[in-house]
Amino acid sequence: MTELTLFEKIVAREIPADIVFEDELCIAFRDIAPQAPLHVLLCPKVPLKMLSETVDGDGELLGHLFLTAPRVARLLGYNDGFRVVVNNGADAGQTVFHLHLHILAGRTFAWPPG
Ligand code: 5GP
């Protein structure tokens, strides 16, 4: 049997997390090593590995994630000043291979990112 991803274990409550939002398709919880006053990870409940492995059939879910990101930010008090990041692949800094959106807010962000 395939080992559950770290984030599937959070969905299943096998490991604890500070969950701030959940619906039938996705879950959002605070990052364990926050890079901003608000740093939440928004994940699909199904284990998509990374953005570049998504297919046309994932469109509805991807749309849902991007519609949910501003709602989660708003829920936590950040209406427009937030950043959404997806690290795709190890070279881009992805360390957990279960697709997730980083939602960051509460400080000024530099561009280009590091
Ligand atoms: P990535 O580097 O894959 O884009 O992002 C993975 C994120 O998951 C990192 O920001 C890291 O701090 C976070 N993370 C890793 N392990 C855990 C954990 O056990 N719990 C939570 N809440 N976040 C984690």
Side-chain angles (χ1 to χ4, degrees), residues 39-62:
H39 187 173
V40 163
L41 303 173
L42 177 62
C43 313
K45 289 186 170 178
V46 294
L48 292 175
K49 197 170 160 196
M50 58 207 289
L51 193 60
S52 59
E53 291 194 1
T54 56
V55 296
D56 287 351
D58 297 319
E60 196 172 325
L61 178 58
L62 292 172

Side-chain angles (χ1 to χ4, degrees), residues 44-106:
K45 289 186 170 178
V46 294
L48 292 175
K49 197 170 160 196
M50 58 207 289
L51 193 60
S52 59
E53 291 194 1
T54 56
V55 296
D56 287 351
D58 297 319
E60 196 172 325
L61 178 58
L62 292 172
H64 182 73
L65 290 170
F66 276 91
L67 287 169
T68 302
R71 291 178 189 151
V72 170
R74 201 176 308 123
L75 188 72
L76 298 171
Y78 297 92
N79 279 318
D80 30 59
F82 60 88
R83 180 173 283 184
V84 175
V85 173
V86 178
N87 295 323
N88 186 84
D91 286 351
Q94 185 172 7
T95 57
V96 177
F97 286 82
H98 179 133
L99 177 67
H100 51 282
L101 277 58
H102 295 257
I103 305 168
L104 300 132

Side-chain angles (χ1 to χ4, degrees), residues 23-37:
D23 66 15
E24 69 282 10
L25 295 177
C26 63
I27 188 165
F29 50 89
R30 291 186 194 274
D31 196 291
I32 205 167
Q35 302 301 310

